[in-house]
Amino acid sequence: MKTISHRISGLSASGGGHTPVFNPATGAQTAQVASGGAAEVDAAVAAAARAFPGWAATTPARRAKVMFEMRRLLEARKDELARTISDEHGKTHTDALGEVARGQEVVEFACGIPHLLKGAFSAGVSTGMDCYDQRQPLGVVAGITPFNFPVMVPLWMIPMALACGNAFILKPSERDPSAPNLLHDLWREAGLPEGVLSVVHGGKAAVDAILDHKGIAAVSFVGSTPIAEYVYARGCAAGKRVQALGGAKNHLVVMPDADLDLAADALMGAGYGSAGERCMAVSVAVPVGEKTADALVARLKPRVAALKIGPAGDAAAEMGPLVTAAHRDRVAGAIESGVAEGAELVVDGRGLKLQGYEKGYWLGGTLLDHVTPRMTVYREEIFGPVLSVVRAADYGQALQLINDHAFGNGTALFTRDGDAARDFAQNVQAGMVGINVPIPVPVGYHSFGGWKSSVFGSHGVYGPEGVHFYTKLKTVTARWPAGLRAGAQFHFTER
């Protein structure tokens, strides 16, 4: 059986045992991954500390050359990366290719690092005096990433951190570890010096070792809200800079004037793509008015029931399995909870079996109507192919519904009314907003980040926010007096 090892320069052996890795489509164990802890994190930090001074001293233009080469390799090897994702995550090949492409966008943005690191300069701030600022790398930084995007989320972090001159330690999910290892190997092939990037596999022991390690200056995290809050609190207590992105409950409001066919298309892709296992999935549809709601549910019902579900090798598949049997059972339990609390079960995806894949972690698309804010299925993140319909009497009630929710990651409004769209974009309490766009994930040269319980910390990821997170600001005020002496000064003077 294949053993998936750490990628740590100078580490000859790991004593933390192993964790099984499964193919979600078949339920069969396909590999085992090394499970690291404090010793492996120590080794990765030591390697990073050795490599950091030389990498930080490398000019931004030369660091950009590595980014350009990585961009080329991602394009050339995208099918291999996508297959690696699908084998351990379960998402369809097309979906996995899309994941690689969105991660590649951030690498492309990082190619411009010489421009992005330019500081401001003010000449003549006082007599013979100039002032300028510069952004310098933090040192050794780390990222803790989730199972649902084993390539894209690491690529939200790694290119920005490396381009800014830092050394990086990645702790990916132990559920799909092969794709992060392949990313590491591609970075090395792109010209990244040994030790600048390490991959440490493992569970909570590895996470805690990263959060506590004095040699790590900053930590980026993406995952569930309870763990994000834990990472933020423990990392900050250890004196680190931390950005921790948590869970979501993303609403899509459908106004009476919206194109209902367009809205239904959007809800199918945003609600059931990647089996709903993404933090920007739309899990709540909010039709405004009973007539709108009835018409929308009538369009969704046959399409949800007819979803093509299959393994990644099935070119016709629109949705794959869930990542583990335990997660499938948890999502099924959430559906049962919704029904028990009074939701109408329009389409039931439980009990799905595929011939030849009977032991896979399958769950069909599920549609619940007449869901109310008091229900657990509405309040909590499900992270599965379950769409809840919460009916609103008017636009004001729909907006208030979103603003009252604990999460504030992303949201969307479908309408033909520019006034409603402008009001929604201005007043909705969420970090990412779509107008007739169901999954408003920002492009690589903007930044990703939610509000409320969807994020802990003051920085979003990638884009300009990524540059600020992975650097520290230094401002220099300089005078070259040309032989003049002003004498000692004991107070501020006019400029």
Side-chain angles (χ1 to χ4, degrees):
M1 182 176 293
K2 179 176 73 171
T3 296
I4 301 164
S5 303
H6 309 289
R7 292 289 196 269
I8 304 171
S9 175
L11 183 70
S12 57
S14 175
H18 295 88
T19 301
V21 178
F22 298 91
N23 181 330
T26 64
Q29 183 177 349
T30 57
Q32 60 179 6
V33 59
S35 187
E40 289 73 21
V41 171
D42 280 342
V45 172
R50 290 192 300 269
F52 168 69
W55 180 244
T58 302
T59 64
R62 289 179 178 174
R63 295 200 297 262
K65 288 183 179 180
V66 176
M67 302 299 130
F68 275 106
E69 180 61 11
M70 183 61 176
R71 191 259 177 219
R72 187 192 69 80
L73 289 170
L74 287 172
E75 183 65 26
R77 306 278 288 276
K78 60 186 177 183
D79 278 306
E80 180 185 357
L81 271 167
R83 288 193 301 272
T84 305
I85 294 167
S86 297
D87 286 347
E88 294 176 354
H89 176 277
K91 66 178 64 174
T92 66
H93 186 68
T94 301
D95 199 4
L97 282 172
E99 173 181 345
V100 175
R102 290 312 298 263
Q104 185 176 311
E105 283 185 8
V106 182
V107 179
E108 291 168 353
F109 179 73
C111 289
I113 198 63
H115 169 73
L116 298 170
L117 289 177
K118 286 195 307 184
F121 182 91
S122 296
V125 296
S126 188
T127 304
M129 186 182 296
D130 304 322
C131 189
Y132 61 92
D133 58 57
Q134 54 187 246
R135 304 206 71 92
Q136 297 184 341
L138 302 179
V140 179
V141 299
I144 302 166
T145 57
F147 74 85
N148 58 324
F149 288 105
V151 166
M152 186 183 76
V153 174
L155 288 180
W156 283 0
M157 303 172 185
I158 297 171
M160 302 310 305
L162 297 183
C164 290
N166 300 281
F168 194 92
I169 298 168
L170 174 66
K171 206 304 287 182
S173 171
E174 59 272 34
R175 297 175 186 173
D176 41 15
S178 292
N181 270 17
L182 180 52
L183 275 183
H184 170 276
D185 297 346
L186 291 178
W187 279 110
R188 292 284 286 124
E189 188 176 339
L192 192 69
E194 184 178 1
V196 175
L197 175 65
S198 298
V199 181
V200 178
H201 296 291
K204 188 175 184 297
V207 170
D208 287 346
I210 287 170
L211 296 176
D212 296 341
H213 204 292
K214 293 181 179 180
I216 296 175
V219 175
S220 302
F221 171 86
V222 176
S224 68
T225 285
I227 306 303
E229 189 170 14
Y230 171 83
V231 166
Y232 184 74
R234 186 159 179 162
C236 288
K240 302 186 192 318
R241 182 180 294 188
V242 183
Q243 57 179 185
L245 279 65
K249 200 71 178 181
N250 305 315
H251 301 66
L252 189 152
V253 177
V254 182
M255 296 293 287
D257 69 331
D259 181 327
L260 290 185
D261 291 323
L262 180 65
D265 286 344
L267 285 165
M268 291 301 299
Y272 301 102
S274 199
E277 292 175 322
R278 51 191 179 196
C279 67
M280 287 297 283
V282 170
S283 55
V284 183
V286 187
V288 175
E290 291 297 320
K291 183 178 178 181
T292 306
D294 290 342
L296 182 65
V297 171
R299 282 169 169 79
L300 290 172
K301 180 178 179 180
R303 297 185 63 176
V304 176
L307 271 170
K308 296 181 178 66
I309 300 168
D314 181 355
E318 297 170 313
M319 193 178 88
L322 296 186
V323 69
T324 64
H327 184 54
R328 176 201 57 199
D329 295 344
R330 192 188 73 79
V331 175
I335 297 168
E336 178 60 34
S337 169
V339 174
E341 292 180 0
E344 178 187 343
L345 185 59
V346 179
V347 180
D348 188 355
R350 293 172 295 177
L352 177 68
K353 297 289 184 182
L354 294 187
Q355 186 174 359
Y357 296 90
E358 288 82 3
K359 294 184 179 180
Y361 312 138
W362 304 102
L363 187 72
T366 297
L367 180 63
L368 298 171
D369 194 6
H370 298 286
V371 174
T372 66
R374 66 175 177 79
M375 295 180 182
T376 304
V377 73
Y378 173 76
R379 290 185 286 105
E380 297 182 357
E381 183 178 40
I382 298 175
F383 223 61
V386 181
L387 180 64
S388 297
V389 178
V390 180
R391 298 174 177 230
D394 53 35
Y395 167 76
Q397 187 181 65
L399 180 64
Q400 194 63 47
L401 186 75
I402 301 168
N403 290 349
D404 285 346
H405 204 283
F407 294 120
N409 208 43
T411 188
L413 177 76
F414 273 59
T415 184
R416 292 186 174 96
D417 186 338
D419 181 58
R422 188 175 187 276
D423 183 87
F424 186 80
Q426 181 67 29
N427 293 305
V428 73
Q429 298 297 301
M432 291 166 285
V433 181
I435 303 298
N436 298 316
V437 174
I439 308 178
V441 176
V443 293
Y445 43 90
H446 283 264
S447 297
F448 181 107
W451 287 10
K452 298 188 284 189
S453 293
S454 293
V455 68
F456 299 87
S458 57
H459 288 287
V461 293
Y462 65 78
E465 286 282 285
V467 175
H468 289 171
F469 181 77
Y470 289 117
T471 58
K472 50 193 173 185
L473 177 67
K474 178 180 287 183
T475 305
V476 180
T477 304
R479 168 183 282 160
W480 299 95
L484 299 176
R485 290 192 60 190
Q489 295 181 356
F490 299 94
H491 55 82
F492 289 110
T493 61
E494 287 191 33
R495 298 294 186 188

